[in-house]
Amino acid sequence: MFEPVIGIEVHAQLKTESKLFCSCSARFGASPNSNTCPVCLGLPGTLPVLNKKAFEYGIRTALAFNCKVAEISGFDRKNYFYPDLPKNYQITQQASPVGVNGYLDVVIDDETRRIRIKRVHLEEDAGKSIHEGGDITGAVFSLEDYNRAGVPLLEIVSEPDIRSPKEAYEYLSMLRRTLLYLGVSDCKMEEGSLRCDVNISVRPKGSDSFGTLVELKNLNSFRAVERSLEYEVKRQSELASENKEIIRETRHWDEEGQTTVGMRRKGLAEDYRFFPDPDLPRLIIGESWIEKVRSDLPELPGERKARFIRDYELPEYDASLLTDTQQLADYFEEAAKEYGHAKTVSNWIMGELLRLMNVTGIGIESVKIRPCDLVAMLKMIDKGTISGKIAKTVFEEMFTQGKSPGDIVKEKGLVQIADEDELTKIVDLVIQDNQKVVEQVKAGKDRAIGFLVGQVMKETKGRANPQMVNELLRQRLAGEN
Amino acid sequence: MKLSELGAFELLPMIKRKEVSVEEATVGILNKIKAVDRDIQAYITVTNEHALQRAKEADLRLNEGKPPRPLEGLSVAIKDNICTKGIKTTGASVYLEDFVPPYDATVVRLLEDAGAIIVGKTNLDELAMGSSTESSAMFPTKNPWDLQRVPGGSSGGSAAAVIADEAVFALGSDTGGSIRQPAAFCGIVGLKPTYGLVSRYGLIGYASSMDQIGPMTKNVRDCAMLLNVIARHDPKDAQSYTGEPVDYTQFLIPDINEVIVGVPKEFLNKGLSKSVKDAFMKALNKLEGLGAKVVEVSLPHSDHALAAYYVISSAEASSNLARLDGIRYGYRAAGCEDSASMTAISRGKGFGSEVKRRIVLGTHILSKGNFEKYFNDALKIRSLIFRDFEKIFKECTCLVCPSSPTVAFRIGEKIRDPLEMYLSDVYTVPPNLAGLPGISIPCGFDEEGMPIGLQIITKQFDEATLLQVAYTFEQATDFHKKKPQLQKYDCGSESTRGDRNV
């Protein structure tokens, strides 16, 4: 039996206004080369000046991942020639990253797994190359867009602690969720603001040695990470069990074929000639700065989930889903506090709200139903003003129109009919019109009564109080005997 | 005396009193350039039109009654590795031959805002790597004292321009002696400020941890005036000093009675020429005569300074110059197959041999295995040297030593022997490694009439003391008043407007 040993490197673009070392906008999607200046174009004589905000985001993230924040941090140059890299070196943190030795707890099948985080460091992003007619060596010409050059990146490197593709998926989800809670990154994989590289090897279960490392690229979603790892675990385990050689290489995930394809052999390790960037002074991060950033940390997803289970007595599943985003959790919490019975609120959010959001593609931030509207609706059910069934209709109206439940109920005349006289009239009418069924009920086919209830509901367009209808029907039918 | 020969401190009051218009003063300098620069070749670019335009604007300002600015109407030459918006900045390299920066270096902005008029961009060793200005890809600059000799380097163009009155003053840059050594070779005043005192923004980076821009002037007073304007905190340079600006002219008081002058014994041994040593000893006597106490001190690690300097500076240079890749600006070789070969061939053709030597050396030094061996050791030496100085400044006010072991050598004499050339900076390199300020002032002439420089070094950010000692020495001597004989080229200047006798 073989087990996979997996490590993940995540690059997250920071959501700062400006780039890491100049005042150009760091926004995505501007026309090519419009967000550039002499500094991020690497013109001669220009110098980098650190964006304090970006660095603070680094500290914030390091703290959230339980890292030790460096007392003295600094920047190094990683030297390599590539057309999308304006200075032909990347300013990064090799020797003194902002954070080291942290961890992230991930819950898988009710079991908490602690994935250690080796380091969190800041670096600048490169530009983007477009090669016309082939790759960089075969292209007719290449175009360079330097808008992205200098955008702050946070690199988060895990230890090789991940033991299954599913764990990898959960680790990434938790990491992404945490970054979103921290508000430091958009984490949009489709825009490239979150990228991951995965290292995987296999070894006999129980062994503490490491197998030959394979790096996976072109992973455009967490699903792709999981699938490619499933494929690799199988491929490598098969090779290993047949005593065949696993080649140290970079493999490309082929989404269409759902396979990995070897790209290039990893020969000698590349030599990036790291050395401290003489343009940037060392940063002495004082305890007071760290404490200030720490005190500004939001409640993180793991903590919030635990609190939801504890304080609102929610099942783990509910708490997990509700804390997926900060906004959803806030939404739940506002409604739950006002309403009191948290599980009911959770049911409505997880059932109706998430369903409608899914169908319409609307995010929680654009949902028109305010938490207080949801609570108002729940109270109407409790008071018997509307039935639970009608409530679903009301909720849909609230979702599409954004009106209060009271208004919708009034406008559409959806108030529940709970008047005994009125209902008796309708029940009698239904009994009269459905003598065959009545006979069946009387003959002991109790289930047939459901049909009669349905008929009453139909007559009242669903507004009848179902419990009352049931009771009345039984009374009348019993009375006829 | 001709108008063009005046120092800044003499000319400025005349401009303020409107005895001389800015245009007249500027034309005087431009005419001088026209007359002598064909032989001296101090300038790569002369900004005639730009300068005249600026001069007219300045006169207009003054005539409107606006108050004169601190450097109103003074012609300044800028070393051609300092970026000037809209004016070609070549770094004396084929690679940047046609590079026109879209931005000004911070010092250029400060100078122009203070009313100085840029008259041109001066020659240098290619990308500031060299000690003779011979490695310029354009042409070698000649020493105005003897056209067969080098002006020193790398700021040789600026030094030659100042002594030949082709500018009132100039900016140079100094990484291992590139201001002080040419200042000594040309008989002018050259100051390398404390690392961080003057913004590096816009200076084409050679070795970022040591590069400093500084004044090159006809006398110490001008030096203080120029430093006043350029020593400003700059948010665009992360290494820029954040202290308050200082008026350095207030320290120009000829009094060194309380001063203890240290003489590093290691600097008076091998390689020091007799004429330089003689002049230096006389200078020491002079300082003593002026009231200073002279003591012998030791810089025990200075033997390793040059080696450490070449390790660190080459390493940094190899990375700094990587941006010159033929892609976004500068020279691009034609007919290349792909971007990698385009970069390789462009660099191969765009750089001269001294630059390539240092890039290769620096790349080698930073490579795996070598980094620990060379770079880390060099950093250790650097901190040891820093500590040596620290110790000395506990007992001494300043250090003095020759600026260079020899006077200006002949063109071609050392160009084929890089190690011999590097020795030219043996006295100027230690302050760069330690980030200290150093100034070279004229202290004599050899038997062939070539100028000799005296270097004064103080602790960090103590330019005030540096200038005071320099000023005291200068006021008690006449070396700075002597000029090279350039009459041969001065024909007809009597009648030329703007170069009238004053």
Side-chain angles (χ1 to χ4, degrees):
Chain A
M1 269 298 278
F2 292 93
E3 70 167 2
V5 176
I6 299 163
I8 300 181
E9 270 180 40
V10 170
H11 285 92
Q13 267 183 5
L14 293 180
K15 221 166 70 174
T16 49
E17 282 298 315
S18 53
K19 293 185 178 181
L20 188 52
F21 296 113
C22 66
S23 55
C24 284
S25 166
R27 287 291 131 110
F28 175 82
S31 65
N33 293 310
S34 58
N35 288 345
T36 58
C37 74
V39 176
C40 58
L41 287 176
L43 262 57
T46 58
L47 298 170
V49 176
L50 178 65
N51 178 340
K52 265 269 168 70
K53 187 89 197 164
F55 196 82
E56 191 162 305
Y57 279 180
I59 300 177
R60 190 173 163 88
T61 309
L63 289 173
F65 291 143
N66 309 293
C67 289
K68 162 141 184 42
V69 174
E71 281 161 29
I72 298 173
S73 186
F75 289 89
D76 303 287
R77 294 186 184 176
K78 179 178 180 176
N79 294 285
Y80 65 96
F81 280 90
Y82 205 79
D84 66 12
L85 192 64
K87 301 183 293 296
N88 288 306
Y89 61 79
Q90 180 195 31
I91 304 178
T92 179
Q93 296 194 293
Q94 171 72 3
S96 47
V98 58
V100 292
N101 299 335
Y103 62 84
L104 184 61
D105 284 337
V106 179
V107 180
I108 292 155
D109 301 331
D110 287 340
E111 200 193 314
T112 301
R113 289 268 297 124
R114 177 159 290 184
I115 311 296
R116 288 173 301 155
I117 287 170
K118 193 174 176 178
R119 56 190 286 145
V120 172
H121 77 244
L122 281 150
E123 60 187 27
E124 53 178 351
D125 209 343
K128 234 177 184 167
S129 302
I130 298 150
H131 304 299
E132 282 295 324
D135 61 7
I136 186 164
T137 48
V140 183
F141 61 88
S142 297
L143 299 168
E144 295 297 334
D145 177 6
Y146 293 108
N147 280 350
R148 207 178 65 178
V151 168
L153 284 181
L154 207 56
E155 184 173 323
I156 303 153
V157 186
S158 85
E159 294 283 0
D161 286 354
I162 299 164
R163 290 290 172 273
S164 74
K166 186 167 184 225
E167 243 174 68
Y169 181 88
E170 291 301 329
Y171 168 77
L172 286 169
S173 304
M174 196 57 178
L175 186 143
R176 177 174 181 273
R177 198 175 297 141
T178 305
L179 293 178
L180 288 171
Y181 267 60
L182 291 171
V184 298
S185 174
D186 284 334
C187 297
K188 290 182 181 161
M189 288 195 92
E190 65 281 10
E191 289 178 7
S193 64
L194 193 76
R195 288 166 244 160
C196 43
D197 298 326
V198 176
N199 288 316
I200 173 176
S201 60
V202 296
R203 66 183 177 195
K205 210 162 184 156
S207 158
D208 52 10
S209 63
F210 292 100
T212 307
L213 207 70
V214 169
E215 192 182 348
L216 299 180
K217 293 253 181 206
N218 192 39
L219 303 168
N220 296 320
S221 67
F222 294 170
R223 279 293 160 224
V225 171
E226 194 179 7
R227 298 262 158 76
S228 65
L229 281 171
E230 280 164 3
Y231 180 87
E232 267 307 298
V233 173
K234 194 161 165 277
R235 187 185 74 87
Q236 292 185 24
S237 301
E238 276 170 16
L239 285 171
S241 59
E242 291 164 22
N243 270 324
K244 285 186 183 157
E245 189 199 0
I246 295 167
I247 299 163
R248 185 179 162 85
E249 62 183 347
T250 299
R251 294 179 73 85
H252 189 91
W253 171 242
D254 173 13
E255 188 73 51
E256 230 167 88
Q258 297 279 299
T259 56
T260 64
V261 185
M263 277 161 72
R264 57 174 170 174
R265 290 205 177 192
K266 285 223 152 183
L268 289 167
E270 280 164 278
D271 188 353
Y272 291 117
R273 288 172 279 121
F274 287 102
F275 77 107
D277 191 326
D279 287 330
L280 292 160
R282 309 272 101 176
L283 268 131
I284 297 156
I285 309 172
E287 200 52 41
S288 62
W289 193 11
I290 297 176
E291 283 320 307
K292 198 197 158 292
V293 177
R294 198 194 297 279
S295 68
D296 286 344
L297 282 181
E299 188 181 26
L300 295 171
E303 296 162 13
R304 198 163 199 186
K305 181 178 149 188
R307 186 167 61 81
F308 277 15
I309 295 171
R310 196 178 60 235
D311 292 2
Y312 296 107
E313 294 170 341
L314 291 180
E316 212 243 84
Y317 177 78
D318 290 39
S320 210
L321 212 68
L322 289 173
T323 53
D324 185 40
T325 68
Q326 224 164 9
Q327 291 88 341
L328 189 66
D330 287 347
Y331 191 97
F332 161 78
E333 206 159 9
E334 201 181 325
K337 271 186 189 151
E338 199 183 326
Y339 182 61
H341 194 267
K343 179 61 184 153
T344 308
V345 174
S346 167
N347 288 347
W348 274 89
I349 291 176
M350 296 201 311
E352 286 308 292
L353 186 61
L354 290 186
R355 181 182 66 82
L356 289 169
M357 279 165 61
N358 235 335
V359 170
T360 53
I362 286 173
I364 184 72
E365 63 286 348
S366 330
V367 162
K368 288 180 186 159
I369 305 175
R370 293 171 303 169
C372 63
D373 293 330
L374 170 60
V375 172
M377 191 201 76
L378 293 175
K379 284 182 176 165
M380 289 173 87
I381 300 174
D382 292 345
K383 275 192 210 148
T385 315
I386 53 172
S387 67
K389 192 166 180 226
I390 285 290
K392 289 192 179 172
T393 317
V394 174
F395 194 81
E396 270 185 49
E397 287 293 321
M398 288 160 73
F399 187 86
T400 47
Q401 298 188 23
K403 289 181 185 162
S404 76
D407 287 350
I408 290 167
V409 168
K410 232 180 272 164
E411 269 170 39
K412 303 235 162 184
L414 294 173
V415 177
Q416 185 165 260
I417 304 169
D419 181 273
E420 198 171 322
D421 292 346
E422 201 181 338
L423 282 180
T424 309
K425 272 183 215 159
I426 301 163
V427 165
D428 287 346
L429 211 69
V430 167
I431 290 174
Q432 212 174 355
D433 289 351
N434 295 280
Q435 279 302 317
K436 261 190 192 164
V437 184
V438 170
E439 290 309 316
Q440 286 174 355
V441 175
K442 281 183 179 167
K445 202 177 171 191
D446 202 45
R447 274 191 311 176
I449 202 162
F451 175 80
L452 297 175
V453 174
Q455 289 308 107
V456 175
M457 295 312 277
K458 198 173 162 190
E459 283 295 317
T460 59
K461 293 191 178 103
R463 290 163 56 214
N465 180 321
Q467 263 166 320
M468 286 179 74
V469 172
N470 226 309
E471 273 166 38
L472 281 172
L473 271 168
R474 284 180 196 279
Q475 271 176 28
R476 303 306 270 192
L477 291 176
E480 276 187 20
N481 271 340
Chain B
M1 223 179 180
K2 305 257 171 43
L3 199 52
S4 63
E5 290 170 21
L6 297 176
F9 80 92
E10 298 155 310
L11 184 56
L12 187 63
M14 294 169 70
I15 289 171
K16 281 184 179 172
R17 292 193 297 265
K18 294 189 190 165
E19 292 166 21
V20 175
S21 73
V22 175
E23 192 179 353
E24 276 178 300
T26 309
V27 167
I29 294 290
L30 292 173
N31 282 344
K32 184 77 182 194
I33 295 173
K34 246 175 250 163
V36 304
D37 206 54
R38 207 173 343 141
D39 294 291
I40 294 171
Q41 296 190 282
Y43 285 94
I44 291 174
T45 304
V46 179
T47 52
N48 264 304
E49 279 171 40
H50 170 87
L52 287 173
Q53 175 66 30
R54 295 270 309 168
K56 280 177 189 150
E57 283 164 18
D59 281 331
L60 209 65
R61 273 181 65 101
L62 292 172
N63 291 334
E64 280 169 0
K66 290 200 175 122
R69 294 166 290 181
L71 302 177
E72 192 70 76
L74 303 176
S75 298
V76 63
I78 310 281
K79 188 178 181 181
D80 208 22
N81 61 347
I82 298 171
C83 288
T84 39
K85 187 175 176 174
I87 300 169
K88 216 165 59 168
T89 300
T90 69
S93 177
V94 168
Y95 188 90
L96 291 172
E97 220 166 9
D98 299 313
F99 177 62
V100 179
Y103 52 92
D104 273 328
T106 299
V107 286
V108 168
R109 201 71 325 280
L110 290 169
L111 284 181
E112 292 209 317
D113 287 349
I117 310 275
I118 295 171
V119 288
K121 304 295 295 287
T122 54
N123 199 15
L124 62 149
D125 284 292
E126 183 178 3
L127 300 168
M129 297 179 180
S131 311
S132 69
T133 315
E134 289 167 288
S135 84
S136 165
M138 310 303 168
F139 38 74
T141 295
K142 319 298 183 301
N143 191 315
W145 294 91
D146 176 352
L147 298 179
Q148 306 300 311
R149 297 189 196 230
V150 302
S154 64
S155 310
S158 285
V162 170
I163 195 63
D165 300 326
E166 297 181 77
V168 174
F169 45 37
L171 286 186
S173 72
D174 188 318
T175 308
S178 282
I179 286 176
R180 290 158 290 158
Q181 185 256 26
F185 279 17
C186 291
I188 62 161
V189 174
L191 169 66
K192 182 209 89 82
T194 305
Y195 183 76
L197 185 66
V198 177
S199 167
R200 292 177 298 125
Y201 187 83
L203 170 68
I204 299 174
Y206 158 27
S208 311
S209 71
M210 292 179 275
D211 292 343
Q212 266 295 286
I213 292 171
M216 301 181 78
T217 59
K218 296 181 202 288
N219 56 65
V220 176
R221 246 161 112 170
D222 286 9
C223 184
M225 281 171 68
L226 192 46
L227 188 63
N228 270 357
V229 170
I230 61 174
R232 282 282 180 285
H233 171 69
D234 181 10
K236 288 180 181 165
D237 178 353
Q239 302 281 26
S240 168
Y241 179 59
T242 49
E244 284 299 306
V246 172
D247 176 9
Y248 293 100
T249 58
Q250 66 177 302
F251 303 105
L252 301 177
I253 302 156
D255 175 7
I256 53 170
N257 279 308
E258 304 289 310
V259 168
I260 300 167
V261 172
V263 180
K265 59 178 181 198
E266 290 85 358
F267 285 9
L268 297 176
N269 300 329
K270 51 190 176 203
L272 181 58
S273 74
K274 190 181 175 299
S275 56
V276 173
K277 190 169 183 174
D278 290 349
F280 176 69
M281 291 324 244
K282 277 184 198 154
L284 275 186
N285 286 337
K286 189 87 205 173
L287 287 169
E288 250 174 341
L290 289 166
K293 190 180 159 200
V294 175
V295 295
E296 190 185 80
V297 295
S298 174
L299 279 171
H301 299 95
S302 57
D303 272 2
H304 305 293
L306 210 56
Y309 169 77
Y310 276 97
V311 167
I312 295 168
S313 65
S314 303
E316 291 182 9
S318 71
S319 173
N320 279 336
L321 297 179
R323 68 188 65 195
L324 308 182
D325 59 5
I327 290 174
R328 289 162 304 279
Y329 51 83
Y331 177 78
R332 179 189 285 189
C336 301
E337 279 193 0
D338 55 34
S339 75
S341 61
M342 181 176 87
T343 293
I345 296 169
S346 299
R347 288 167 68 80
K349 290 185 174 171
F351 293 141
S353 57
E354 183 60 30
V355 171
K356 281 188 219 167
R357 178 169 16 249
R358 298 195 197 189
I359 290 174
V360 171
L361 185 64
T363 306
H364 178 72
I365 285 163
L366 290 178
S367 301
K368 265 202 186 103
N370 294 336
F371 178 83
E372 296 75 14
K373 207 159 48 182
Y374 300 121
F375 195 79
N376 278 343
D377 275 4
L379 290 185
K380 274 178 216 152
I381 292 168
R382 188 175 191 171
S383 55
L384 288 172
I385 287 170
F386 185 83
R387 259 177 262 163
D388 286 352
F389 276 118
E390 246 182 355
K391 222 171 114 193
I392 287 173
F393 288 126
K394 278 192 188 127
E395 40 179 313
C396 298
T397 324
C398 65
L399 280 183
V400 296
C401 62
S403 301
S404 189
T406 66
V407 295
F409 42 86
R410 290 196 161 66
I411 292 172
E413 194 180 323
K414 296 188 178 178
I415 194 73
R416 273 185 228 339
D417 189 349
L419 284 180
E420 184 67 20
M421 184 79 90
Y422 296 171
L423 280 175
S424 190
D425 295 327
V426 68
Y427 302 139
T428 46
V429 154
N432 293 84
L433 285 168
L436 307 177
I439 193 169
S440 177
I441 56 171
C443 74
F445 292 87
D446 74 354
E447 56 282 7
E448 291 174 75
M450 294 307 292
I452 295 166
L454 174 72
Q455 182 179 212
I456 309 166
I457 301 161
T458 60
K459 61 178 190 284
Q460 287 189 322
F461 302 109
D462 197 10
E463 276 76 1
T465 302
L466 194 72
L467 289 164
Q468 182 166 16
V469 176
Y471 184 69
T472 307
F473 182 86
E474 181 190 78
Q475 291 305 299
T477 56
D478 279 335
F479 307 117
H480 65 290
K481 290 181 182 157
K482 217 174 152 190
K483 289 274 177 180
Q485 298 303 304
L486 289 163
Q487 285 107 330
K488 188 183 147 199
Y489 315 103
D490 237 357
C491 51
S493 60
E494 295 294 321
S495 57
T496 311
R497 184 176 161 242
D499 208 13
R500 63 183 159 97
N501 289 310
V502 292

